[in-house]
Amino acid sequence: RRAMRMRRTRATFLAPTVLADESPSEDAGSIAPAGLPFKLGHMYWFCQLMMDARSDGRTVVVCAGQEPGVVTWLALLVGAYLVACEGVAAADVEAAAAPMAHLLRPHVVDGRELTAGACWRAVARARSLGWVDFTRDEVDIDASIDMEEYLHYDNPVNGPIHVVIPGRLLVLPCPVDLPPDQRSGWLDVGGRRYFGCPYFADIFADFGVSTVLRCGPGSDCYDPAAFQAAGIQVVSLPGPDPGPLPSAPELAPDHAAHRRP
């Protein structure tokens, strides 16, 4: 019995806190609330945590409880780790999760459901293409996502700019037309940070962006001159006319939130 107890004490127990009424923290060691979209940054943090804990051969036990939202989040994270870092097939992860399938809740956007299984299959596909590799400290940034860079631009105060396909496709919110005297390239209004074209154009030069595709309602409500001056082609995808949209910088700036990214 003593030997059994000693073996048990060598286990590393992880009990991540998932809060349903708070915004996701950008700090390492936190998990976003249940019900919010599953982000690559969350997966990366959890994978690093797991690899660090298992580096000395210890067993890891993840405590989830019975609340479906918490179970769903932790199942997503554990499954993503198994697929991305251990090479387990997504189908095998889905089969292992079958006994708790009644607790897994899909994320619903515009009536469409995103299930845990779909997330695991997406991770498996990205891994097979070499787009994500959490097992190496340094990656080929032309073929794989640089997670340090990704986490920087995933922060709302720095963009946010999301790398979808390394070296090929970025996704970002629409820029806004800032006042002429706003030289920083961004403006804080009502607790939110808005970015102008010059800010993105400077970053796009580092990424080697050649074309900006404006898509979605209101995506052509800004002046693309800064992109064009940088040699970046701007193409608009036809869509429904949402009517005139308010310009955020017309509101009073929130000077208390001003800080350079």
Side-chain angles (χ1 to χ4, degrees):
R1 291 182 179 178
R2 179 179 178 183
M4 183 179 296
R5 286 197 298 270
M6 290 180 64
R7 285 197 296 272
R8 286 177 178 173
T9 58
R10 287 188 57 79
T12 300
F13 289 85
L14 302 179
T17 300
V18 181
L19 304 177
D21 58 349
E22 293 187 5
S23 299
S25 171
E26 298 297 335
D27 297 332
S30 63
I31 293 182
L36 288 182
F38 188 52
K39 298 171 64 177
L40 184 62
H42 301 140
M43 183 200 314
Y44 176 72
W45 167 78
F46 188 79
C47 287
Q48 294 299 310
L49 183 68
M50 290 288 289
M51 288 190 292
D52 289 344
R54 297 198 64 188
S55 61
D56 60 354
R58 294 189 178 188
T59 300
V60 178
V61 178
V62 180
C63 303
Q66 295 293 320
E67 203 283 312
V70 177
V71 173
T72 299
W73 262 96
L74 293 179
L76 280 168
L77 292 170
V78 171
Y81 163 75
L82 292 173
V83 172
C85 301
E86 298 290 344
V88 178
D92 292 339
V93 174
E94 291 187 68
M100 61 178 181
H102 63 288
L103 293 174
L104 301 182
R105 298 292 184 264
H107 178 67
V108 182
V109 180
D110 296 331
R112 299 181 179 180
E113 292 188 349
L114 179 63
T115 65
C119 290
W120 295 327
R121 291 191 295 272
V123 173
R125 180 61 173 166
R127 182 179 184 272
S128 69
L129 294 172
W131 293 353
V132 293
D133 188 347
F134 299 154
T135 61
R136 293 189 297 168
D137 293 333
E138 296 186 5
V139 298
D140 179 359
I141 61 174
D142 292 325
S144 299
I145 295 176
D146 181 342
M147 287 307 302
E148 183 177 352
E149 182 180 69
Y150 180 94
L151 292 174
H152 174 79
Y153 287 117
D154 181 56
N155 192 315
V157 302
N158 296 326
I161 300 172
H162 299 279
V163 178
V164 179
I165 303 177
R168 297 278 184 169
L169 180 63
L170 307 174
V171 174
L172 65 148
C174 287
V176 298
D177 290 329
L178 299 177
D181 60 347
Q182 193 68 28
R183 298 180 179 179
S184 64
W186 53 268
L187 181 65
D188 290 327
V189 180
R192 179 180 175 184
R193 179 163 290 183
Y194 295 86
F195 299 88
C197 284
Y199 176 85
F200 288 120
D202 184 53
I203 296 174
F204 288 172
D206 294 333
F207 279 99
V209 172
S210 61
T211 304
V212 169
L213 176 63
R214 306 200 293 189
C215 53
S219 61
D220 58 351
C221 62
Y222 62 89
D223 182 359
F227 289 151
Q228 295 165 342
I232 299 173
Q233 180 184 16
V234 179
V235 179
S236 295
L237 185 67
D241 182 7
L245 298 177
S247 177
E250 292 177 359
L251 305 175
D254 180 8
H255 294 289
H258 269 177
R259 56 185 184 276
R260 186 80 176 176

